[in-house]
Amino acid sequence: MPRAKRKKPHDPAKAHDRRSRDLLRNAEVATVEVDNPLALDPGDKIVVLRSTRNDPLGRLHSHHQIDEAQYQAGRAFQSDWEKAERGPRAVDPTREYVDGGQAREPITEGQRKAVLRLNHAERELGADGSAIVHDVLVHGMTMNQIGQRRGLTTQRWRDYFSRRFCECLDCLALLYGFATQKR
């Protein structure tokens, strides 16, 4: 004879628990506290899961390998890159001409300022630092992939790229105003 199921006592704290319990097998997530969009009082926070699989900057931040200023500076660099990237395109003479085609999009003031900030950041970071930041923040590469791309695959080189990337994030944090100069 089958056993009767016991009912668990009602827990009012779990009445509206909307946390997802199903994750993909290859999911890489981290918990992060954000402002509650449905909150009645401003400043209420909720804990959500953030995917870090294709986000090296988010993974470094969730593992406490970079601080908040470095994280915000990296996000500001990514935002500037996205603004500058969507500018007007060159005319492609190989494409067939179409009547009524869309007029070219003019460069906005926000795009112009983003390009100026990126140029200033590239001068401050130097060629090597700029290449590492671009590989990580734009292409989403890991330190291992950066080393393989350059033919430098030992652990010592991965550690060097990691330290150099953190130095570059410190420089970006100073440029974007998320940190102040240390004495």
Side-chain angles (χ1 to χ4, degrees), residues 51-71:
S51 176
T52 59
R53 189 169 73 187
N54 293 325
D55 184 16
L57 191 66
R59 187 182 57 75
L60 290 171
H61 185 252
S62 66
H63 289 178
H64 304 290
Q65 294 173 345
I66 60 173
D67 61 6
E68 187 67 26
Q70 291 171 324
Y71 175 74

Side-chain angles (χ1 to χ4, degrees), residues 19 30-36 44-50:
R19 287 180 285 188
T31 58
V32 64
E33 199 172 282
V34 297
D35 291 330
N36 187 356
D44 286 348
K45 302 277 188 186
I46 59 173
V47 177
V48 297
L49 293 177
R50 167 176 68 183

Side-chain angles (χ1 to χ4, degrees), residues 69-127:
Q70 291 171 324
Y71 175 74
Q72 293 298 331
R75 288 292 186 227
F77 182 88
Q78 288 174 331
S79 175
D80 280 348
W81 183 263
E82 288 171 3
K83 286 177 191 171
E85 187 180 41
R86 69 168 203 88
R89 305 281 182 227
V91 176
D92 187 3
T94 61
R95 292 183 64 191
E96 190 173 326
Y97 177 76
V98 179
D99 264 347
Q102 296 176 350
R104 289 194 300 182
E105 193 176 298
I107 296 175
T108 64
E109 186 66 22
Q111 288 174 317
R112 190 182 72 76
K113 287 181 179 178
V115 168
L116 290 175
R117 283 190 299 266
L118 289 173
N119 288 340
H120 183 62
E122 188 174 349
R123 280 193 306 274
E124 290 292 322
L125 296 174

